[in-house]
Amino acid sequence: MEQAMRTILVANPKGGCGKTTLSTNLAAYLAGQNQRIVMWDLDRQKSSLDWLALRPAELPTITSLDADRNEIHPDIPENYDWLVLDSPAGMHGKNLAHALKLADKVVVPVQPSVFDMAATRDFLDQLMEEKSVRKHKAFIGIIGMRVDPRTRAAATLEQFLEQYDLPILTYLRDTMVYVNAAFNGKGIFDLPPYQAERDLLQWQPIIEWVNA
């Protein structure tokens, strides 16, 4: 029997925290594993779709879901293995509740800045109120973005997140590797391994968690 499609929601109401970087690289990883991927970009800027438009034809295919960002119940195709949902800044209320119902995994990117942590605090409080989250807290994973785990900023972020009893899956460093790959419609998993060796290592815990 064919397995039902699973959904990864990448969410944080703060703009510029790395949602699209995570979404596109998750999609690139899964596509590289011979998974059939569809990507739904709910953000007004449509950065994920711009990235897809640049993607070379010879790379593993990622399909875009052509649905209005205000449409809560689009016709999501079922002949795919994964839906990667790149959510907009400020998503809340009914739209957030519906996206959470769809989601098998929720990835929350956080940068270790005062502003990011303040915005994320409200969002995580909101998440914890949702019935689907209270039942399955294990399906949420936090990712520290553009951060060196040895710094004081990382320690502050860790301390801040401890109150939520949610796993910090990994810390992704601040590097041009992601930026340069994105210019060519690629994720780090589409690059020769030597070009992204450190970054692929940092992604290992995310991959294990997604596949668990």
Side-chain angles (χ1 to χ4, degrees):
M1 192 175 128
E2 200 166 297
Q3 190 179 3
M5 182 177 72
R6 288 179 287 170
T7 298
I8 301 179
L9 168 65
V10 182
N12 187 325
K14 177 86 172 57
C17 64
K19 288 188 290 288
T20 298
T21 296
L22 275 182
S23 301
T24 51
N25 280 279
L26 274 166
Y29 162 70
L30 291 165
Q33 301 302 301
N34 294 321
Q35 300 284 296
R36 293 161 302 175
I37 310 303
V38 62
M39 181 169 246
W40 185 13
D41 187 348
L42 282 168
D43 193 38
R44 185 180 285 119
Q45 292 175 350
K46 298 288 182 208
S47 304
S48 292
L49 296 188
D50 290 344
W51 172 81
L52 265 185
L54 295 169
R55 192 162 173 78
E58 68 272 13
L59 290 180
T61 304
I62 299 165
T63 305
S64 66
L65 173 60
D66 190 14
D68 188 271
R69 66 188 186 87
N70 294 316
E71 196 177 345
I72 298 179
H73 299 279
D75 292 324
I76 296 171
E78 288 175 12
N79 55 335
Y80 287 90
D81 299 306
W82 286 94
L83 168 65
V84 178
L85 186 47
D86 186 3
S87 70
M91 186 167 77
H92 65 285
K94 279 185 188 169
N95 284 350
L96 175 61
H98 181 68
L100 287 170
K101 274 189 194 128
L102 283 178
D104 296 280
K105 302 275 183 180
V106 182
V107 180
V108 182
V110 189
Q111 291 189 102
S113 80
V114 173
F115 308 112
D116 283 79
M117 286 191 274
T120 304
R121 174 184 286 112
D122 293 343
F123 179 60
L124 290 176
D125 288 343
Q126 219 184 329
L127 271 189
M128 294 308 193
E129 290 300 308
E130 293 290 341
K131 206 185 293 177
S132 53
V133 173
R134 288 206 303 271
K135 269 201 226 156
H136 315 284
K137 267 207 291 193
F139 83 143
I140 297 179
I142 311 279
I143 296 173
M145 299 295 287
R146 305 184 188 112
V147 60
D148 181 336
R150 299 163 297 187
T151 59
R152 187 177 162 193
T156 308
L157 181 60
E158 210 160 302
Q159 206 175 357
F160 160 69
L161 291 167
E162 265 170 18
Q163 62 191 298
Y164 295 101
D165 188 28
L166 293 170
I168 301 175
L169 301 177
T170 192
Y171 293 101
L172 301 183
R173 68 190 182 121
D174 190 5
T175 170
M176 288 300 287
V177 173
Y178 292 102
V179 179
N180 293 335
F183 271 128
N184 299 303
K186 295 179 180 180
I188 59 167
F189 299 93
D190 300 312
L191 302 172
Y194 71 88
Q195 282 184 21
E197 207 169 344
R198 271 181 71 186
D199 306 291
L200 293 170
L201 270 176
Q202 291 181 336
W203 267 79
Q204 206 49 47
I206 304 175
I207 288 166
E208 286 166 16
W209 179 79
V210 163
N211 289 321

